[in-house]
Coordinates of all heavy atoms in Angstrom, one line a residue:
G8 N -5.2 -9.0 17.6 CA -6.0 -10.3 17.3 C -5.5 -11.4 18.2 O -4.7 -11.2 19.1
A9 N -6.0 -12.6 17.9 CA -5.6 -13.8 18.7 C -4.1 -14.1 18.5 O -3.5 -14.7 19.4 CB -6.5 -15.0 18.3
R10 N -3.6 -13.8 17.3 CA -2.2 -14.2 17.1 C -1.2 -13.4 18.0 O -0.2 -13.9 18.5 CB -1.8 -13.9 15.6 CG -0.4 -14.2 15.2 CD 0.0 -15.7 15.3 NE -0.9 -16.5 14.4 CZ -1.0 -17.8 14.4 NH1 -0.2 -18.5 15.2 NH2 -1.8 -18.4 13.6
L11 N -1.5 -12.1 18.1 CA -0.7 -11.2 18.9 C -1.6 -10.2 19.7 O -1.9 -9.1 19.2 CB 0.3 -10.4 18.0 CG 1.3 -9.5 18.8 CD1 2.2 -10.3 19.7 CD2 2.1 -8.7 17.7
P12 N -2.1 -10.6 20.8 CA -3.0 -9.8 21.6 C -2.3 -8.5 22.0 O -1.1 -8.4 22.1 CB -3.3 -10.6 22.8 CG -3.0 -12.0 22.4 CD -1.9 -12.0 21.5
K13 N -3.1 -7.4 22.2 CA -2.5 -6.2 22.7 C -1.9 -6.3 24.1 O -2.4 -7.1 24.9 CB -3.6 -5.1 22.8 CG -4.1 -4.6 21.4 CD -5.1 -3.4 21.6 CE -5.5 -2.9 20.3 NZ -6.5 -1.7 20.4
S14 N -0.8 -5.6 24.3 CA -0.1 -5.7 25.6 C 0.7 -4.4 25.8 O 0.7 -3.6 24.9 CB 0.8 -6.9 25.6 OG 1.9 -6.8 24.7
S15 N 1.3 -4.3 26.9 CA 2.2 -3.1 27.1 C 3.3 -3.1 26.1 O 3.8 -2.0 25.6 CB 2.8 -3.1 28.5 OG 3.5 -4.3 28.8
E16 N 3.8 -4.3 25.7 CA 4.9 -4.4 24.7 C 4.4 -3.9 23.3 O 5.1 -3.2 22.6 CB 5.4 -5.8 24.6 CG 6.2 -6.3 25.8 CD 5.4 -6.7 27.0 OE1 4.1 -6.8 26.8 OE2 5.9 -6.9 28.1
T17 N 3.2 -4.3 22.9 CA 2.7 -3.9 21.6 C 2.3 -2.5 21.5 O 2.1 -1.9 20.4 CB 1.5 -4.8 21.1 OG1 0.4 -4.5 22.0 CG2 1.9 -6.3 21.2
S18 N 2.2 -1.8 22.7 CA 1.8 -0.4 22.7 C 3.0 0.5 22.6 O 2.8 1.8 22.5 CB 1.0 -0.1 24.0 OG -0.1 -0.9 24.1
V19 N 4.2 0.0 22.6 CA 5.4 0.9 22.6 C 5.5 1.5 21.2 O 5.4 0.8 20.1 CB 6.6 0.0 22.9 CG1 7.9 0.9 22.6 CG2 6.6 -0.5 24.3
E20 N 5.7 2.8 21.1 CA 5.8 3.5 19.8 C 7.2 3.3 19.2 O 8.2 3.4 20.0 CB 5.5 5.0 20.0 CG 4.1 5.3 20.3 CD 3.8 6.8 20.3 OE1 4.7 7.6 20.5 OE2 2.6 7.2 20.2
L21 N 7.2 3.0 17.9 CA 8.5 2.8 17.2 C 8.5 3.7 16.0 O 7.5 4.1 15.5 CB 8.6 1.4 16.7 CG 8.5 0.3 17.8 CD1 8.3 -1.1 17.2 CD2 9.7 0.3 18.8
M22 N 9.7 4.1 15.6 CA 9.9 5.0 14.5 C 10.5 4.2 13.3 O 11.5 3.5 13.5 CB 10.8 6.2 14.8 CG 11.0 7.2 13.6 SD 12.0 8.6 14.0 CE 11.0 9.5 15.2
D23 N 9.9 4.3 12.1 CA 10.5 3.6 11.0 C 11.5 4.5 10.3 O 11.8 5.6 10.7 CB 9.3 3.2 10.0 CG 8.7 4.4 9.3 OD1 9.2 5.5 9.4 OD2 7.6 4.2 8.7
H24 N 12.1 4.0 9.2 CA 13.2 4.6 8.5 C 12.8 6.0 7.9 O 13.6 6.8 7.7 CB 13.7 3.7 7.4 CG 12.7 3.5 6.2 ND1 11.6 2.7 6.3 CD2 12.7 4.1 5.0 CE1 11.0 2.7 5.2 NE2 11.5 3.6 4.4
A25 N 11.5 6.2 7.7 CA 11.0 7.4 7.1 C 10.6 8.5 8.2 O 10.1 9.5 7.8 CB 9.9 7.2 6.2
G26 N 10.7 8.1 9.4 CA 10.4 9.0 10.5 C 8.9 8.9 11.0 O 8.5 9.7 11.8
N27 N 8.2 7.9 10.5 CA 6.8 7.7 10.9 C 6.8 6.9 12.2 O 7.5 6.0 12.4 CB 6.0 6.9 9.9 CG 5.9 7.6 8.5 OD1 5.4 8.8 8.5 ND2 6.4 7.0 7.5
V28 N 5.9 7.4 13.1 CA 5.8 6.8 14.5 C 4.5 6.0 14.6 O 3.5 6.5 14.3 CB 5.9 7.8 15.6 CG1 5.7 7.2 16.9 CG2 7.2 8.6 15.5
R29 N 4.6 4.7 15.1 CA 3.4 3.9 15.3 C 3.8 2.8 16.2 O 5.0 2.4 16.4 CB 2.9 3.4 14.0 CG 3.8 2.4 13.3 CD 3.2 1.9 12.0 NE 3.4 2.8 10.9 CZ 4.4 2.9 10.1 NH1 5.4 2.0 10.3 NH2 4.5 3.8 9.2
S30 N 2.8 2.2 16.9 CA 3.0 1.0 17.6 C 2.4 -0.2 16.9 O 1.8 0.0 15.8 CB 2.2 1.1 19.0 OG 0.8 1.0 18.8
L31 N 2.6 -1.4 17.4 CA 2.1 -2.6 16.7 C 0.5 -2.7 16.8 O -0.1 -3.5 16.1 CB 2.7 -3.9 17.4 CG 4.2 -4.0 17.2 CD1 4.7 -5.3 17.9 CD2 4.6 -4.1 15.7
N32 N -0.1 -1.8 17.6 CA -1.5 -1.8 17.7 C -2.2 -0.9 16.6 O -3.4 -0.8 16.6 CB -1.9 -1.2 19.1 CG -1.4 -2.0 20.3 OD1 -1.2 -3.2 20.1 ND2 -1.3 -1.4 21.4
E33 N -1.4 -0.3 15.8 CA -1.9 0.7 14.8 C -1.5 0.3 13.4 O -0.7 -0.6 13.2 CB -1.3 2.1 15.2 CG -1.8 2.6 16.5 CD -0.9 3.6 17.2 OE1 0.4 3.6 16.9 OE2 -1.4 4.4 18.0
I34 N -2.2 0.9 12.5 CA -2.0 0.6 11.1 C -0.5 0.8 10.6 O 0.1 1.8 10.9 CB -2.9 1.5 10.2 CG1 -4.3 1.1 10.3 CG2 -2.5 1.3 8.7 CD1 -5.3 1.9 9.6
S35 N 0.0 -0.2 10.0 CA 1.3 -0.2 9.4 C 1.1 -0.4 7.9 O 0.6 -1.4 7.4 CB 2.2 -1.3 9.9 OG 3.5 -1.3 9.2
M36 N 1.6 0.6 7.1 CA 1.4 0.6 5.6 C 2.7 0.8 4.9 O 3.3 1.8 5.1 CB 0.3 1.6 5.2 CG 0.0 1.6 3.7 SD -1.2 2.8 3.2 CE -0.2 4.4 3.4
N37 N 3.0 -0.1 4.1 CA 4.1 0.1 3.2 C 3.6 0.6 1.9 O 3.2 -0.1 1.0 CB 4.9 -1.3 2.9 CG 6.1 -1.1 2.0 OD1 6.2 -0.2 1.2 ND2 7.0 -2.0 2.2
G38 N 3.5 1.9 1.8 CA 2.8 2.6 0.7 C 3.4 2.3 -0.7 O 2.6 2.0 -1.6
F39 N 4.7 2.2 -0.8 CA 5.3 1.9 -2.1 C 5.0 0.5 -2.5 O 4.7 0.3 -3.7 CB 6.8 2.1 -2.0 CG 7.5 1.8 -3.3 CD1 7.4 2.7 -4.4 CD2 8.2 0.7 -3.5 CE1 8.1 2.5 -5.6 CE2 8.8 0.4 -4.7 CZ 8.7 1.3 -5.8

């Protein structure tokens, strides 16, 4: 969005504490 446009930095994949992999360009859900 306008707040944080897509870039090479936001496309970097990261792993969370549960082993799920995603970038800032993708859905992030705190299911609990």
Side-chain angles (χ1 to χ4, degrees):
R10 178 68 59 189
L11 181 62
K13 286 185 179 180
S14 66
S15 56
E16 287 79 10
T17 65
S18 300
V19 174
E20 292 186 336
L21 304 169
M22 181 180 290
D23 68 12
H24 67 282
N27 298 304
V28 176
R29 68 180 76 91
S30 74
L31 295 178
N32 299 335
E33 295 155 335
I34 290 175
S35 173
M36 181 181 71
N37 183 334
F39 180 77

